[in-house]
Amino acid sequence: MRKPIIAANWKLHKTQEEATAFLNDFREKVKYISEVEIGLGPTFTSLETVAEGTKGTGIKVCAQNVYFEDEGAFTGEVSPGMLAEVGTDYVIVGHSERRQIFGETDRAINKKIHAVFDHGMKPILCIGETEEQRADGKTESVLRNQLKIDLRGLTEDQAGEMIVAYEPIWAIGTGESASPEDAQAGCKFSRDQVREIVGEQAGDSVRLQYGGSIKPHNAEELMSQPDIDGGLIGSASLDPGSFAEIISITEELYK
Ligand code: PGA
């Protein structure tokens, strides 16, 4: 059985001081959790704070972005080796905000995924369609095209170990999550694409997260879908109470 993973994407929120305050509260709230893998995704400057503050707890450290080169004249970028050095376990790659605001392409995302694996970490690859693409009935072709390029050159083992987050862009930060049926359909379709592009075994083991306005009140119906193996959570992860509640709800489903 695939172990669910619930990860926080703090985006551009929380100073080191605020991250420490979060941890002091959060650690206590999730200390009995055993069936759910937990990840925290702070900004680059708080990665080490979170790595230190979660030592011995099993909580995973997630970076929000990476560059694919090891070093060089790339002003403003951070390399995979640097992320690994401060204790990063997972790297979120291809988030829709990176794609839309910073013009990240699927080719660059593919290179980032390889770089993450080369440095002993695992990617959380985000894919998803816009509102317009959805209205035009293009959801499946968008997901297929993203995955085709993003997963290029991965081995079965690598693809099986990664996490793919299906995040419909219209559901992110809007307070309006996808229906459980749509979220399940997007995750199932993505899993089938992994099967087709990489192989059966990879499709069986890859973990699919849903992301987009997950809150304590809708967590149960979303997290109980057969092809949803966890969630990537923005706004509701900023508060230790609501994030821990989503994790506890998921723990109950898997006990
Ligand atoms: P949200 O963000 O939970 O605030 O919708 C999710 C994400 O962007 O990963």
Side-chain angles (χ1 to χ4, degrees):
M1 190 158 98
R2 297 180 294 265
K3 186 168 187 168
I5 174 165
I6 307 273
N9 173 10
W10 285 350
K11 309 189 179 183
L12 189 46
H13 295 285
K14 290 196 195 296
T15 60
Q16 291 189 21
E17 199 181 324
E18 289 163 343
T20 303
F22 177 99
L23 287 174
N24 289 342
D25 191 357
F26 182 69
R27 269 191 314 247
E28 208 38 46
K29 288 185 157 62
V30 295
K31 64 177 184 209
Y32 67 92
I33 297 289
S34 58
E35 306 306 313
V36 179
E37 193 176 349
I38 301 170
L40 293 175
T43 61
F44 287 143
T45 56
S46 291
L47 280 172
E48 206 167 358
T49 306
V50 171
E52 286 297 319
T54 53
K55 239 178 211 157
T57 63
I59 295 172
K60 302 294 186 344
V61 181
C62 312
Q64 298 175 18
N65 185 27
V66 66
Y67 194 52
F68 46 77
E69 295 287 354
D70 283 340
E71 59 180 10
F74 305 106
T75 303
E77 295 295 328
V78 173
S79 77
M82 290 168 185
L83 294 182
E85 186 186 30
V86 295
T88 303
D89 302 291
Y90 290 96
V91 184
I92 299 170
V93 177
H95 189 277
S96 61
E97 285 148 22
R98 302 255 13 123
R99 293 175 188 259
Q100 292 194 314
I101 306 171
F102 302 100
E104 205 158 284
T105 64
D106 286 295
R107 273 167 190 270
I109 290 164
N110 175 251
K111 287 187 188 174
K112 290 181 177 197
I113 291 174
H114 281 282
V116 166
F117 276 122
D118 289 347
H119 288 81
M121 302 174 291
K122 289 176 192 165
I124 299 178
L125 164 66
C126 300
I127 55 172
E129 80 287 0
T130 64
E131 175 118 61
E132 199 184 344
Q133 290 164 334
R134 178 180 186 237
D136 290 348
K138 290 185 182 150
T139 300
E140 293 194 346
S141 66
V142 168
L143 298 179
R144 182 184 302 116
N145 291 338
Q146 288 175 337
L147 286 169
K148 248 195 209 156
I149 306 174
D150 299 345
L151 301 179
R152 203 175 271 165
L154 292 182
T155 64
E156 280 241 12
D157 284 350
Q158 287 175 325
E161 278 180 8
M162 68 186 286
I163 292 157
V164 175
Y166 168 56
E167 299 207 307
I169 296 169
W170 46 271
I172 295 178
T174 58
E176 205 182 298
S177 94
S179 67
E181 296 73 29
D182 283 352
Q184 158 63 19
C187 287
K188 163 97 170 59
F189 180 80
S190 303
R191 184 184 306 290
D192 288 342
Q193 289 306 301
V194 175
R195 280 203 178 95
E196 220 165 88
I197 298 165
V198 189
E200 281 292 319
Q201 197 194 311
D204 288 343
S205 21
V206 64
R207 287 183 289 175
L208 262 301
Q209 287 178 324
Y210 164 75
S213 300
I214 302 178
K215 312 281 177 203
H217 76 83
N218 60 21
E220 185 174 348
E221 51 181 17
L222 288 164
M223 293 305 119
S224 55
Q225 299 302 316
D227 283 285
I228 298 182
D229 312 308
L232 186 57
I233 298 164
S235 351
S237 75
L238 294 173
D239 172 66
S242 63
F243 189 49
E245 205 180 328
I246 293 169
I247 293 164
S248 303
I249 289 166
T250 309
E251 169 95 358
E252 287 304 314
L253 294 170
Y254 279 82
K255 252 187 186 161

